[in-house]
Amino acid sequence: MHSELQKLDGMDMEMYIISSDQPEEQKQVYKELDDFFGKSLPFVSDPELELIDQIGMKNGDVAYRGYAILDTNGQVVLKKINDNWGVELDKTVEDIKKAYDEIHK
């Protein structure tokens, strides 16, 4: 996904990677992604899975893999649980753009 971020250019939204990892762990992954791709999305640490649960992506003690869009009020507009979202990147981008367009009608 990081090598394809330009596919979402022009969309007025903030993008983050949310995980239950501690900030120290996230900092290391961020650095590795930045070194490899020349950029990385910022990370949000959610060790108690509170935000992940609010989004509906909690799976017991871990988070489902996937993606979501929240509007400016924190309401979930799009939620996709998909382990293969990065492999199916064109479909992922299509879903995100469709939900984004619905918000900005």
Side-chain angles (χ1 to χ4, degrees):
M1 174 70 176
H2 281 77
S3 63
E4 303 288 332
L5 287 175
Q6 77 279 359
K7 290 184 177 185
L8 298 172
D9 283 353
M11 300 175 78
D12 183 24
M13 65 180 178
E14 303 278 335
M15 291 187 285
Y16 302 95
I17 298 170
I18 303 170
S19 77
S20 60
D21 294 335
Q22 295 297 320
E24 300 78 25
E25 297 167 301
Q26 291 177 338
K27 184 176 180 181
Q28 178 61 35
V29 174
Y30 178 92
K31 182 178 178 341
E32 290 171 8
L33 289 169
D34 189 52
D35 288 347
F36 188 81
F37 293 108
K39 60 186 162 214
S40 179
L41 294 173
F43 281 75
V44 173
S45 180
D46 187 16
E48 303 300 320
L49 302 173
E50 293 172 9
L51 178 57
I52 292 167
D53 189 29
Q54 177 186 344
I55 295 171
M57 301 286 283
K58 186 176 176 183
N59 181 18
D61 293 339
V62 297
Y64 286 110
R65 290 186 49 148
Y67 52 95
I69 295 178
L70 286 79
D71 65 15
T72 56
N73 297 315
Q75 299 300 308
V76 177
V77 175
L78 170 70
K79 174 189 79 175
K80 293 283 183 164
I81 296 170
N82 182 349
D83 282 339
N84 299 312
W85 65 269
V87 175
E88 301 169 353
L89 190 58
D90 288 338
K91 174 72 171 125
T92 299
V93 170
E94 180 182 317
D95 287 346
I96 290 170
K97 285 184 175 183
K98 184 178 177 183
Y100 179 87
D101 289 345
E102 285 296 316
I103 295 170
H104 293 90
K105 279 186 173 184

